[in-house]
Amino acid sequence: MTTTSRTAVVTGAARGIGADVAKRLAADGFAVAAVDLDEAACKTVVEAIEGAGGRALAVGVDVSDENGVQAAVERIAAELGEPAVLVNNAGITRDNLLFKMSVDDWDAVMDVHLRGSFLMARAVQGYMTKAGWGRIVNLSSTSALGNRGQANYAAAKAGLQGFTKTLALELGRFGVTANAIAPGFIETEMTAATAERMGVPFEELKAGAAAQIPVGRTGKPEDIAHAVSFLAGEGAGFVSGQVLYVAGGPQA
Ligand code: NAP
């Protein structure tokens, strides 16, 4: 394993895509702060990283809590190192058709994806601009293009694309890039929960999705971790403000 003094912060790192991203960035040589609602839930990821010879810190915070985010980022800077990479991955779904969608469903999704990404980016940007180097990667989705039953989630994921492009414009001169990854169907607890909500066995939902995907399979968290690894790397310094669809086909 290569070593670096750089620190990466991954939100929603306790499971799913975030857990794989955290482990991949650690394998790339970053010290990794695994951030999630429940600090104890990040233990497995932290132990896996440390077991492989890396450095990691579990941090429990709700990314939509302004004071909590500020305190969490300050703790990461003090205990692990000043953030050089931020991956805004924490996410939730509250799917419903528009006429049945509650204000709470709308607000909850906006709070985690948009407010959370804004608060995290605002809290880390000072360290990155001071260092003259930084990488911000925001998790969008193919749902940004529109998805039945996801008016809230689609709006948030499309909003993250505009947010990303604006960060790229503002922070580029300080050596900080900002990009978005828009995954298609990835096998995680989020998509398993969607299957359950629809009353369809997960295997059936996956098979149906795979049949529509040009490469003939659904995605896995490591597919997204690989793309994050590229965008977080030294060599990607001239890639900024982009939305990379990682969906097994030309989704955009
Ligand atoms: P997941 O398995 O549901 O994991 C999401 C993680 O985020 C969970 O550990 C969750 O914690 C955490 N989280 C939720 N709200 C949070 C908050 N307010 N503060 C901190 N952490 C919070 O989801 P995933 O499938 O890995 O998705 C990861 C990201 O990729 C999300 O942004 C999602 O929208 C996006 N994405 C996923 C897919 C897909 O097909 N899976 C496709 C496109 C985009 P708890 O367990 O405590 O709730």
Side-chain angles (χ1 to χ4, degrees):
M1 178 178 297
T2 54
T3 53
T4 171
S5 57
R6 285 181 177 147
T7 294
V9 181
V10 182
T11 69
R15 64 168 201 237
I17 292 170
D20 266 56
V21 168
K23 286 184 271 189
R24 176 61 190 261
L25 291 180
D28 289 348
F30 292 98
V32 176
V35 174
D36 212 292
L37 279 172
D38 177 13
E39 186 165 318
C42 299
K43 198 166 160 242
T44 312
V45 173
V46 167
E47 283 175 356
I49 291 171
E50 289 175 343
R55 288 177 63 225
L57 178 70
V59 179
V61 71
D62 178 345
V63 294
S64 67
D65 171 0
E66 182 179 10
N67 293 333
V69 163
Q70 196 56 40
V73 169
E74 283 169 17
R75 181 182 159 210
I76 291 164
E79 292 184 28
L80 201 60
E82 299 189 350
V85 174
L86 168 66
V87 184
N88 278 316
N89 167 84
I92 60 168
T93 53
R94 294 286 184 273
D95 297 354
N96 233 326
L97 293 173
L98 179 63
F99 78 102
K100 287 195 282 191
M101 187 172 285
S102 70
V103 169
D104 283 350
D105 290 337
W106 178 270
D107 288 345
V109 167
M110 293 301 153
D111 277 356
V112 179
H113 296 272
L114 283 179
R115 182 182 161 92
S117 297
F118 156 66
L119 291 175
M120 288 297 304
R122 195 181 63 171
V124 300
Q125 56 81 32
Y127 298 107
M128 296 180 180
T129 53
K130 190 181 71 177
W133 196 96
R135 301 279 189 262
I136 297 174
V137 180
N138 298 317
L139 267 288
S140 179
S141 167
T142 51
S143 294
L145 303 171
N147 198 23
R148 191 179 156 80
Q150 290 198 313
N152 49 0
Y153 185 83
K157 291 308 200 185
L160 277 172
Q161 296 190 10
F163 178 64
T164 301
K165 288 172 190 289
T166 302
L167 296 190
L169 290 172
E170 292 187 11
L171 301 176
R173 72 186 60 187
F174 302 103
V176 179
T177 67
N179 291 285
I181 293 174
F185 189 114
I186 309 296
E187 296 170 24
T188 68
E189 285 185 39
M190 185 179 273
T191 39
T194 302
E196 202 175 322
R197 214 167 31 247
M198 293 166 70
V200 178
F202 192 33
E203 289 308 315
E204 206 175 292
L205 188 74
K206 282 196 288 182
Q212 306 294 320
I213 296 172
V215 301
R217 68 169 176 89
T218 46
K220 298 201 181 296
E222 56 260 36
D223 292 312
I224 305 306
H226 190 66
V228 173
S229 171
F230 163 68
L231 291 171
E234 194 64 48
F238 205 53
V239 181
S240 197
Q242 300 304 302
V243 180
L244 179 60
Y245 281 80
V246 182
Q251 296 285 325

